[in-house]
Amino acid sequence: MVQQVQLVANCYLVLFEACRARHLPGNMGASTEWSSMHACVEDILQYVVDAPQELYELAMALLYELWMSVVTSDPELKCTPDKPDSEFSVLALYLRWCEHIFDAIVKHSVRLATQQADTTPAAQTADGSAVVPELKEEKSQTEPSELILAFIRDAPYILPALLAKVAECLKSPSTAPLGLAVLETAIEIRPPIFITGLDILLEYAASPDRATRSGCIQVILKHCSSRSSLLPRMSLAAKSHFVRGVRLAEKQSVELEKQVASIFNRVDKVLPVGELAVTEAVEARKREALALRKQKKQAIEAGLAVYAELFLKLCAKHMELLVVMFVAYKGLSATVQVIIRRIITPLIKSMADTPAVIIPVLKQFPVGTETLAQRIVFLLCVNTARVPARELVQAVLNMCDARRLDGNFLAYLGNGMERAEVHKRLPTIVAMLNGSAGPQMLVSEFFTRVTTSYLNQPSVLTPTELLVALHEPAVVNTEKKAEEAVRVFGAMTNTDGTLKFPPRVFDEALAQLAGRAFVPVLMLKTAFIYREQHHGVADVAVKNLLQTLIERKVWEMRSSLLNAFISLFRTMLPDALPLVKSIPPNILQMMAKIDARFGVPAS
C-alpha cells in the first residue's frame, strides 16, 4: 500500500504538475485517465479508516509519504496548508487523508469512551455521593484519548480546524471527559494548534454541564493564566459569556414578572362569595406567586452563575475586569442585581486579605451601582473576628468624602476607624435611620464594631464614650434620628438575648452630659429611654440628673430644654416630689402653667 501511495504521489507530482505548468485544467474525475488511480487511492483510504486503531501505523506511514511529496513539490510551502491552490494537488490529497483518518480515530475513541462509561457506572454511597474506586495493580484499560493524542503528536501536519471534531465531544456529558483529556494534552504537545484549542475551551467554559464547564475552566487557567498575551482573548470570551448570561437573566426576570402579574389578573371560573372567601382567594394567589418567584429566581441565578463562572475566575487574578460587571449591573432589574450581588460573594471574600487589588475598581464604581459597591465593602469586612485593613478603611472614607456617599458604606468599617474618624462619621451613620429595621440593623452593627475589643487592639470607643458622642451637636442636629440612635443603642442585645450595655453605661453618660456647659434636649430623652429599658434601676440616676438640672437652674436655659425637663419630671412622680422643694416658688408658678402638678410644693 505504501508503494501504491508513493505511485499516486509521484503521478500527482509528475503528471498533474506538468499539466498545471502548461496551464491545462487539472481534473481527476471519472471520465479522465486518472479515474482508476483515484479509485485505488479511495480504496486505500477507506481500508484505513475502517480500522483506525489496528492500522494506525500504516496510516501514519501513508501520511508521511504524502507529506514528503508535498514538501518535494513545494519545499517552501508557498501554497497555504489550509487553502491548497488546487483541489487535486498533493497537498489537497494529504489534507483530505488527514481529515478522514482523524475523523475515523475520533469516532473510534468516542465509541470506546461510551462503552467504558456504560460498563463502569460510578458507584454511590447510600446518600448518593460518589465512591472513589480502589486502585488495582493490574494494567488499566486503554484510555479513549490515547489514539487521538497519538495522531496529534505523530502526524506530520495537522490543520488546527480539525480540533472541531474533538469539540463535538464536549457537547455531551458522556464524552466530555474524552474531549477535555485530548484538548488539555494537545495544546501542550502541538503548539500550532494551541489557539484553536484554547478557543474551543473558552467556548465550552459556559457549558450547562457542570463537569464540562469546570473542566474547561480548569484547563484554561492551568495553561493560560500566566501568559499575559492571552489575557485579551480570554477576557473577551469571559466578558461575552457574562454579558450573554446577564441578558438572558434579564429576559427571564421580565418574563417572571409577567407570569406573576397573570396570577393576580387571572379570572377564576367560580368567583369567591363573601369577604372571607375573597380574602382566602387573594392569599392563595399570593402564596402561588411567592412560590413561583422562589422557583424562577433560583433557576435564573443558577443560569447566570453558569455564564459568569469563567469571568469570576479571571477576575480573581485580574480584578480590573470587574469593571465590566459594574457596567452591566447598572440599569438591571432588582431581581438580577440581587443575583449578581450574591454570585460575587466567594470572589470578594477571597480578597479580604488583599483588599488593595480591588480598591482601584471600587473607587471608580459608576453612579447607579452603589448597592453593588456597598456589597463589596460588606463582603470585605463581614468577618467580625478581624479588623478591616487600614488601606480599605481609608479608601472608603476618601470615597465617601469625594462622592458624598451615605452611611451604608461605613457601617462595617467602624472597628477599623480611629477615634476622630468615628466622631466625624457618626452623624452620617445616624442619618441612615428612618424607623425601619434595615437601617437600625446597620447602625447597630456599627455600634457593635466600634465598642468591641480585638486581639491586641482595644475598642475604638467605650460604650459610655459612644453614648456621650451621640449627644454631640453634629449628631443632635439630625433631630429625631438622634433619639432613634439612642433607642437602638439601648436595645442592642447579646447572642443570649440579654441587653448588650449594662445600666452603668447610661449612669456614666448622663453624669458626664449633665455637667457640660451646653445641655442637649436629647440628654433628657435619653434619660426617658433609660427608664423605659431599665425600669427601676434607672430611677436613682434620673433623679440625680433632675437634681443637677435644678441646681443649674434649668428654667434659665432654653424653653425646649425646660419643657423636656418637665416631661421627664412628670414621669418620675411621685418619687420626684421631694425635688420640688429645691425649686423657687416663682419658678414653680411658671412651671405650673405648663403642668399643674408643679403648683403645690410637696410637704
Side-chain angles (χ1 to χ4, degrees):
M1 288 187 180
V2 174
Q3 291 178 345
Q4 288 178 318
V5 171
Q6 289 175 338
L7 176 61
V8 171
N10 288 332
C11 288
Y12 268 81
L13 289 172
V14 177
L15 300 177
F16 184 75
E17 297 295 339
C19 291
R20 189 174 63 169
R22 297 196 302 270
H23 303 289
L24 298 176
N27 186 1
M28 293 184 67
S31 60
T32 68
E33 58 183 307
W34 307 99
S35 60
S36 58
M37 183 180 66
H38 189 63
C40 178
V41 171
E42 292 300 304
D43 289 342
I44 296 173
L45 177 59
Q46 189 60 48
Y47 175 72
V48 172
V49 299
D50 284 344
Q53 184 171 20
E54 293 79 0
L55 301 176
Y56 176 76
E57 296 299 332
L58 174 61
M60 278 295 111
L62 297 176
L63 285 177
Y64 267 93
E65 285 297 333
L66 287 175
W67 186 250
M68 288 301 297
S69 298
V70 171
V71 175
T72 301
S73 63
D74 187 9
E76 298 180 2
L77 292 179
K78 295 179 180 179
C79 185
T80 308
D82 58 342
K83 294 181 180 179
D85 62 350
S86 171
E87 181 184 355
F88 301 108
S89 67
V90 183
L91 178 57
L93 182 63
Y94 170 84
L95 294 177
R96 185 167 179 276
W97 274 53
C98 187
E99 179 179 359
H100 280 269
I101 295 172
F102 186 70
D103 184 56
I105 288 175
V106 171
K107 290 178 179 178
H108 170 81
S109 299
V110 168
R111 286 194 298 270
L112 182 59
T114 304
Q115 290 171 2
Q116 291 183 2
D118 292 340
T119 57
T120 56
Q124 292 184 337
T125 60
D127 62 359
S129 59
V131 175
V132 179
E134 295 182 1
L135 296 177
K136 298 182 180 181
E137 292 184 1
E138 62 264 21
K139 184 179 179 180
S140 61
Q141 57 189 347
T142 303
E143 289 294 332
S145 61
E146 287 182 6
L147 193 59
I148 302 177
L149 290 172
F151 184 91
I152 293 175
R153 181 187 62 244
D154 299 338
Y157 174 80
I158 180 172
L159 273 178
L162 290 185
L163 284 184
K165 299 182 183 297
V166 178
E168 291 294 315
C169 297
L170 299 177
K171 293 182 178 180
S172 171
S174 62
T175 56
L178 169 62
L180 286 169
V182 170
L183 289 171
E184 180 175 11
T185 305
I187 60 177
E188 286 184 343
I189 64 177
R190 200 88 188 212
I193 66 174
F194 184 93
I195 294 298
T196 302
L198 173 60
D199 287 342
I200 293 172
L201 291 167
L202 289 171
E203 178 184 356
Y204 285 90
S207 169
D209 178 63
R210 182 176 182 178
T212 303
R213 181 175 68 255
S214 299
C216 287
I217 294 174
Q218 183 177 354
V219 175
I220 290 169
L221 297 180
K222 176 181 177 182
H223 296 281
C224 308
S225 58
S226 60
R227 304 186 186 186
S228 58
S229 61
L230 296 175
L231 180 59
R233 197 179 202 93
M234 294 188 295
S235 300
L236 182 62
K239 293 174 187 176
S240 177
H241 288 320
F242 175 70
V243 171
R244 185 161 67 249
V246 167
R247 290 173 179 171
L248 178 60
E250 190 70 8
K251 181 180 178 181
Q252 292 171 333
S253 176
V254 172
E255 184 61 30
L256 170 59
E257 296 306 318
K258 291 181 180 178
Q259 292 175 350
V260 170
S262 68
I263 291 176
F264 291 101
N265 296 332
R266 186 175 61 216
V267 178
D268 294 332
K269 293 181 179 179
V270 179
L271 297 177
V273 179
E275 183 178 349
L276 182 61
V278 170
T279 301
E280 176 55 33
V282 171
E283 291 301 317
R285 293 194 180 193
K286 287 181 179 179
R287 290 193 295 271
E288 181 183 355
L290 185 62
L292 178 64
R293 280 188 184 279
K294 182 178 179 180
Q295 176 189 3
K296 294 294 185 180
K297 284 183 178 180
Q298 288 176 345
I300 295 172
E301 181 171 349
L304 181 52
V306 167
Y307 284 102
E309 186 170 345
L310 174 62
F311 178 76
L312 294 174
K313 294 286 188 182
L314 288 181
C315 283
K317 295 181 177 295
H318 306 280
M319 191 55 66
E320 67 275 7
L321 296 177
L322 202 61
V323 174
V324 175
M325 180 173 285
F326 275 101
V327 173
Y329 183 89
K330 185 177 181 179
L332 293 176
S333 64
T335 297
V336 180
Q337 286 186 342
V338 170
I339 290 173
I340 289 178
R341 294 201 295 271
R342 276 206 292 262
I343 65 175
I344 66 169
T345 298
L347 169 66
I348 304 303
K349 280 188 174 181
S350 70
M351 301 289 114
D353 292 330
T354 55
V357 298
I358 198 172
I359 288 174
V361 177
L362 192 59
K363 284 181 177 179
Q364 57 180 328
F365 75 87
V367 175
T369 63
E370 286 80 4
T371 51
L372 179 57
Q374 290 165 9
R375 175 68 174 175
I376 291 175
V377 173
F378 161 73
L379 292 173
L380 291 173
C381 305
V382 68
N383 187 352
T384 57
R386 61 191 301 172
V387 176
R390 181 59 199 175
E391 54 190 340
L392 173 65
V393 174
Q394 191 61 59
V396 176
L397 292 179
N398 293 341
M399 207 165 58
C400 289
D401 290 337
R403 304 180 65 166
R404 297 185 178 180
L405 302 176
D406 60 28
N408 286 283
F409 286 86
L410 304 173
Y412 293 88
L413 298 174
N415 50 340
M417 294 184 186
E418 298 175 355
R419 291 175 62 88
E421 291 170 340
V422 170
H423 283 282
K424 179 180 178 181
R425 307 294 170 170
L426 205 52
T428 305
I429 292 293
V430 172
M432 289 193 293
L433 294 168
N434 58 11
S436 59
Q440 288 176 357
M441 182 193 71
L442 290 175
V443 171
S444 177
E445 179 69 25
F446 182 82
F447 289 171
T448 297
R449 288 175 177 253
V450 166
T451 57
T452 299
S453 299
Y454 295 85
L455 183 64
N456 299 322
Q457 179 175 316
S459 62
V460 183
L461 298 178
T462 66
T464 299
E465 289 172 334
L466 176 58
L467 184 56
V468 170
L470 289 175
H471 294 75
E472 297 294 340
V475 180
V476 172
N477 288 339
T478 58
E479 300 178 354
K480 291 184 178 180
K481 294 179 183 292
E483 181 181 350
E484 185 180 353
V486 174
R487 289 189 178 277
V488 169
F489 177 91
M492 290 170 60
T493 59
N494 298 307
T495 54
D496 60 359
T498 59
L499 290 174
K500 189 174 185 64
F501 303 120
R504 64 173 178 78
V505 172
F506 281 87
D507 294 343
E508 294 170 357
L510 290 175
Q512 291 183 33
L513 292 169
R516 290 190 170 186
F518 178 83
V519 179
V521 174
L522 179 62
M523 181 191 70
L524 297 173
K525 293 181 178 180
T526 297
F528 184 82
I529 294 170
Y530 180 24
R531 289 200 72 232
E532 282 184 339
Q533 296 176 342
H534 299 273
H535 191 68
V537 178
D539 289 354
V540 174
V542 173
K543 282 194 288 186
N544 290 338
L545 173 64
L546 293 175
Q547 181 64 49
T548 299
L549 291 176
I550 291 172
E551 293 172 356
R552 294 188 59 183
K553 298 182 180 180
V554 65
W555 49 86
E556 294 180 359
M557 300 181 186
R558 307 179 309 283
S559 59
S560 59
L561 185 63
L562 178 60
N563 290 335
F565 170 83
I566 294 173
S567 297
L568 180 62
F569 201 108
R570 189 163 55 235
T571 64
M572 291 292 294
L573 293 174
D575 294 342
L577 278 176
L579 297 178
V580 175
K581 295 179 180 180
S582 304
I583 303 175
N586 62 321
I587 300 301
L588 281 175
Q589 292 178 0
M590 178 188 68
M591 295 173 64
K593 295 179 182 180
I594 301 174
D595 191 313
R597 280 171 287 190
F598 285 92
V600 181
S603 57

